[in-house]
Amino acid sequence: MRAKSIMVVGTMSSAGKSVVTAGLCRMFHQDGYRVAPFKSQNMALNSYITKDGLEMGRAQVMQAEAAGIAPDIRMNPILLKPTSEAGSQVIVNGKVYDNLRAKEYYQRKQELIPEIRTAYESLAEEYDIVVLEGAGSPAEINLRDVDIVNMGMAAISDSPVIVVGDIDRGGVFASLYGTIALLRPEERRRIQGIIINKFRGDISILESGLTMLEELTGVPVLGVLPYLNLHLEEEDSLAEQLSVQTTDGTGLDIAVIRLPRIANFTDFAALSGIEGVSVRYVTRRAELGTPDLLILPGTKNTLSDLRWLRESGLEAAILKLHEKGCLLFGICGGFQMLGKQVSDPDQTEGGGSLRGLGLLDMETIFQPQKHQQQVQGTIAEPSGIFAPLAGSAITGYEIHMGRSIAGSHAMPFTRRADGTLNGYCNEAGTVYGTYLHGFFDTAETTAALLQLLRKQTGRTEELSPVRDFQQEKERQYNQLADAIREHLDTKKIYQILEEWEQQA
């Protein structure tokens, strides 16, 4: 029997589509249904590697977890990873398809409809309910004729649609009304409900507006979700945590360089939820301060972001912090920057060669073949603060284009289960780098590291216990489902599912 389906679209990016989709997935899962998320096309630099070594958007991983199932590439058949202001690496079914400029992709993307249809139909055959997510806004009338992710995908899957509006940004009534009004008649008939998201205050103040909105659009308001203080993994650089640039002056101060093409900043989600630890994002030299730990994160374009780091003056400031004894940590592209040289002979990232920060004895050469796999491993036998953690288990995934070649002064830092190294540190034990995304997700290792860092820096503030990251996410998925049940008309949502199937 083919799955029932329902689609969640938003009036704009970051209206809350991903979170509402996750909440519905968890609610349906709790109610005993086999449910899967689906997003035909995702544009994000936060990605994930599945067990079979395929790449997909991080938001659908989060939604799959909420649905109680393993992430599956069919949930996100197309992933666009921006490499410049006007171009992206196009991932289809988990593998690199091409590097295309925006106009080229616009002209060719309908060629990918068979891939989208196959992925969706395969999920629909296996699950009871599929919850689809749109992208951006469904009212982008200049893109309507080639749409494959919003109302175009609703037509492919023959799904009813719920529209989400973000009241926290203001203008929610206008954005909801305008979105629905700009749709074609055959598209408007699919709109079966409205959700207002991120509300703070007295709900009674909204009631007259909700009534008028229903009268104007002919669409029922399913409810008003409050502003939820959840720390679910976001999918793009609009995520609110990236705007945090200051510390309250207490506890451990961890600064992350917010590179222009920062990728997989979800690497730091586990750290952000620990009381006594401040994680902030730095874009200017004046914001750097004197952190206890400075992290260079992953990036979709190492050479371009290394050049930005140099031209912004942040490189010089980082080197000064290093001279003063600040602990430095690099992940993936940030790890590559810490070496002596980064070269791109095959023009994988546009070509050229740049001097690195020179803090690790290694050089990186880009290759066209992308390295992507899940990893289980251990901390090797490093010097410095990580030395007491030698042998500790670590898990995560790798996703990178380059191969790093270590010199004689590079010390082992992280090791895969097969014994090969995927991270190095310097002899002094003050600079560390690894290709492993998810390094800080292992609670025991992260707790031990933070205590060592606290002791080394002379901090006296107590740290809260480091919770198991997966268990903490489970708690938040349940909290999200509770909010869905409390504030939305879930009976109406189930009615939409049933009536649309009968109508079809």
Side-chain angles (χ1 to χ4, degrees), residues 22 25-26 29 37 48 58-71 75 233 470 473-474 477:
C25 284
R26 176 49 59 108
H29 171 60
Y48 176 83
R58 194 86 195 189
Q60 280 61 63
V61 174
M62 180 265 288
Q63 292 160 359
E65 291 177 345
I69 57 177
M75 300 168 186
E233 295 176 339
Q470 193 57 45
K473 287 195 287 185
E474 285 294 311
Y477 296 142

Short mmCIF file of all heavy atoms in Angstrom, two decimals, residues 22 25-26 29 37 48 58-71 75 233 470 473-474 477:
data_model
loop_
_atom_site.label_atom_id
_atom_site.label_comp_id
_atom_site.label_asym_id
_atom_site.label_seq_id
_atom_site.Cartn_x
_atom_site.Cartn_y
_atom_site.Cartn_z
N ALA A 22 10.23 17.73 11.35
CA ALA A 22 10.78 16.79 12.34
C ALA A 22 9.74 16.49 13.43
O ALA A 22 9.60 15.35 13.86
CB ALA A 22 12.05 17.36 12.97
N CYS A 25 7.20 14.14 12.08
CA CYS A 25 7.81 12.80 11.98
C CYS A 25 7.82 12.10 13.35
O CYS A 25 7.47 10.93 13.46
CB CYS A 25 9.23 12.90 11.43
SG CYS A 25 9.33 13.19 9.65
N ARG A 26 8.21 12.84 14.40
CA ARG A 26 8.25 12.22 15.72
C ARG A 26 6.84 11.89 16.21
O ARG A 26 6.62 10.83 16.80
CB ARG A 26 8.99 13.14 16.70
CG ARG A 26 9.04 12.66 18.17
CD ARG A 26 9.47 11.21 18.35
NE ARG A 26 10.76 10.87 17.85
CZ ARG A 26 11.84 10.61 18.57
NH1 ARG A 26 11.75 10.68 19.88
NH2 ARG A 26 12.96 10.26 18.00
N HIS A 29 5.62 8.84 14.40
CA HIS A 29 6.40 7.70 14.90
C HIS A 29 5.87 7.25 16.26
O HIS A 29 5.68 6.05 16.50
CB HIS A 29 7.87 8.09 14.98
CG HIS A 29 8.75 7.08 15.66
ND1 HIS A 29 8.91 5.79 15.21
CD2 HIS A 29 9.52 7.18 16.79
CE1 HIS A 29 9.73 5.13 16.01
NE2 HIS A 29 10.11 5.95 16.97
N PRO A 37 10.99 11.17 6.27
CA PRO A 37 11.03 12.53 5.72
C PRO A 37 11.50 12.50 4.27
O PRO A 37 12.11 11.52 3.82
CB PRO A 37 12.06 13.22 6.62
CG PRO A 37 13.04 12.12 6.94
CD PRO A 37 12.22 10.86 7.03
N TYR A 48 25.98 15.03 5.62
CA TYR A 48 26.20 13.83 6.44
C TYR A 48 26.52 12.68 5.50
O TYR A 48 26.08 12.66 4.35
CB TYR A 48 24.92 13.54 7.22
CG TYR A 48 24.94 12.27 8.05
CD1 TYR A 48 25.50 12.25 9.32
CD2 TYR A 48 24.37 11.09 7.57
CE1 TYR A 48 25.51 11.09 10.09
CE2 TYR A 48 24.36 9.93 8.33
CZ TYR A 48 24.93 9.94 9.59
OH TYR A 48 24.93 8.80 10.35
N ARG A 58 21.90 17.51 6.10
CA ARG A 58 21.85 17.26 7.54
C ARG A 58 20.42 17.37 8.10
O ARG A 58 20.07 16.67 9.05
CB ARG A 58 22.76 18.26 8.24
CG ARG A 58 23.06 17.93 9.67
CD ARG A 58 24.23 17.01 9.79
NE ARG A 58 24.31 16.42 11.11
CZ ARG A 58 25.34 15.71 11.53
NH1 ARG A 58 26.37 15.50 10.75
NH2 ARG A 58 25.34 15.18 12.74
N ALA A 59 19.61 18.23 7.52
CA ALA A 59 18.25 18.40 8.04
C ALA A 59 17.45 17.12 7.91
O ALA A 59 16.67 16.77 8.80
CB ALA A 59 17.54 19.54 7.31
N GLN A 60 17.63 16.39 6.80
CA GLN A 60 16.90 15.14 6.64
C GLN A 60 17.44 14.04 7.55
O GLN A 60 16.72 13.12 7.91
CB GLN A 60 16.93 14.69 5.18
CG GLN A 60 15.94 15.42 4.30
CD GLN A 60 16.19 16.92 4.24
OE1 GLN A 60 17.24 17.35 3.77
NE2 GLN A 60 15.24 17.71 4.73
N VAL A 61 18.71 14.15 7.95
CA VAL A 61 19.26 13.23 8.95
C VAL A 61 18.55 13.46 10.28
O VAL A 61 18.12 12.52 10.96
CB VAL A 61 20.78 13.43 9.11
CG1 VAL A 61 21.33 12.58 10.24
CG2 VAL A 61 21.50 13.10 7.80
N MET A 62 18.41 14.73 10.66
CA MET A 62 17.72 15.08 11.89
C MET A 62 16.28 14.58 11.86
O MET A 62 15.77 14.02 12.83
CB MET A 62 17.78 16.60 12.08
CG MET A 62 17.09 17.13 13.32
SD MET A 62 15.39 17.68 13.00
CE MET A 62 15.66 19.19 12.08
N GLN A 63 15.62 14.77 10.73
CA GLN A 63 14.22 14.33 10.61
C GLN A 63 14.10 12.81 10.64
O GLN A 63 13.15 12.27 11.21
CB GLN A 63 13.63 14.90 9.32
CG GLN A 63 13.47 16.42 9.36
CD GLN A 63 13.36 17.05 7.99
OE1 GLN A 63 13.41 16.35 6.97
NE2 GLN A 63 13.21 18.35 7.95
N ALA A 64 15.07 12.11 10.04
CA ALA A 64 15.06 10.65 10.08
C ALA A 64 15.22 10.16 11.52
O ALA A 64 14.53 9.22 11.95
CB ALA A 64 16.18 10.09 9.21
N GLU A 65 16.10 10.81 12.28
CA GLU A 65 16.25 10.45 13.69
C GLU A 65 14.94 10.67 14.43
O GLU A 65 14.54 9.84 15.26
CB GLU A 65 17.36 11.29 14.32
CG GLU A 65 18.76 10.93 13.83
CD GLU A 65 19.82 11.85 14.41
OE1 GLU A 65 19.48 12.91 14.97
OE2 GLU A 65 21.01 11.49 14.31
N ALA A 66 14.27 11.78 14.13
CA ALA A 66 12.97 12.06 14.77
C ALA A 66 11.95 10.98 14.40
O ALA A 66 11.08 10.64 15.20
CB ALA A 66 12.47 13.43 14.36
N ALA A 67 12.06 10.44 13.19
CA ALA A 67 11.15 9.40 12.73
C ALA A 67 11.54 8.02 13.24
O ALA A 67 10.82 7.05 12.98
CB ALA A 67 11.11 9.39 11.21
N GLY A 68 12.68 7.93 13.94
CA GLY A 68 13.12 6.66 14.51
C GLY A 68 13.72 5.70 13.50
O GLY A 68 13.71 4.49 13.71
N ILE A 69 14.26 6.24 12.40
CA ILE A 69 14.85 5.39 11.37
C ILE A 69 16.24 5.90 10.99
O ILE A 69 16.62 7.02 11.32
CB ILE A 69 13.97 5.35 10.10
CG1 ILE A 69 13.73 6.76 9.55
CG2 ILE A 69 12.65 4.65 10.39
CD1 ILE A 69 12.92 6.80 8.27
N ALA A 70 16.99 5.06 10.31
CA ALA A 70 18.34 5.42 9.87
C ALA A 70 18.26 6.38 8.68
O ALA A 70 17.37 6.24 7.82
CB ALA A 70 19.12 4.18 9.49
N PRO A 71 19.16 7.36 8.60
CA PRO A 71 19.19 8.24 7.43
C PRO A 71 19.40 7.44 6.15
O PRO A 71 20.17 6.50 6.11
CB PRO A 71 20.39 9.15 7.71
CG PRO A 71 20.57 9.10 9.20
CD PRO A 71 20.18 7.72 9.60
N MET A 75 15.94 10.05 1.03
CA MET A 75 15.23 11.15 1.69
C MET A 75 15.67 12.51 1.16
O MET A 75 15.00 13.51 1.40
CB MET A 75 15.47 11.08 3.20
CG MET A 75 14.98 9.79 3.82
SD MET A 75 15.58 9.60 5.51
CE MET A 75 15.00 7.93 5.88
N GLU A 233 19.74 20.27 15.06
CA GLU A 233 20.75 20.58 14.06
C GLU A 233 20.15 21.31 12.87
O GLU A 233 19.22 20.85 12.25
CB GLU A 233 21.45 19.30 13.61
CG GLU A 233 22.22 18.64 14.75
CD GLU A 233 22.83 17.32 14.35
OE1 GLU A 233 22.38 16.71 13.37
OE2 GLU A 233 23.79 16.89 15.01
N GLN A 470 23.25 11.78 21.58
CA GLN A 470 22.11 11.15 20.93
C GLN A 470 20.89 11.10 21.86
O GLN A 470 19.76 11.35 21.44
CB GLN A 470 22.46 9.74 20.45
CG GLN A 470 21.45 9.13 19.48
CD GLN A 470 21.22 9.99 18.24
OE1 GLN A 470 22.17 10.49 17.63
NE2 GLN A 470 19.97 10.19 17.87
N LYS A 473 19.37 14.50 21.96
CA LYS A 473 18.56 14.78 20.78
C LYS A 473 17.20 14.08 20.87
O LYS A 473 16.17 14.65 20.49
CB LYS A 473 19.31 14.37 19.51
CG LYS A 473 20.46 15.30 19.15
CD LYS A 473 20.95 15.10 17.75
CE LYS A 473 21.72 13.82 17.58
NZ LYS A 473 22.29 13.70 16.21
N GLU A 474 17.21 12.85 21.37
CA GLU A 474 15.95 12.13 21.54
C GLU A 474 15.01 12.88 22.47
O GLU A 474 13.80 12.98 22.22
CB GLU A 474 16.22 10.72 22.10
CG GLU A 474 16.77 9.74 21.08
CD GLU A 474 15.76 9.43 19.99
OE1 GLU A 474 14.60 9.11 20.32
OE2 GLU A 474 16.12 9.54 18.81
N TYR A 477 13.54 15.76 20.50
CA TYR A 477 12.53 15.33 19.53
C TYR A 477 11.19 15.09 20.23
O TYR A 477 10.13 15.45 19.72
CB TYR A 477 12.97 14.07 18.80
CG TYR A 477 14.20 14.23 17.94
CD1 TYR A 477 15.16 13.22 17.86
CD2 TYR A 477 14.41 15.38 17.18
CE1 TYR A 477 16.29 13.35 17.06
CE2 TYR A 477 15.54 15.53 16.39
CZ TYR A 477 16.48 14.50 16.34
OH TYR A 477 17.60 14.64 15.55
#
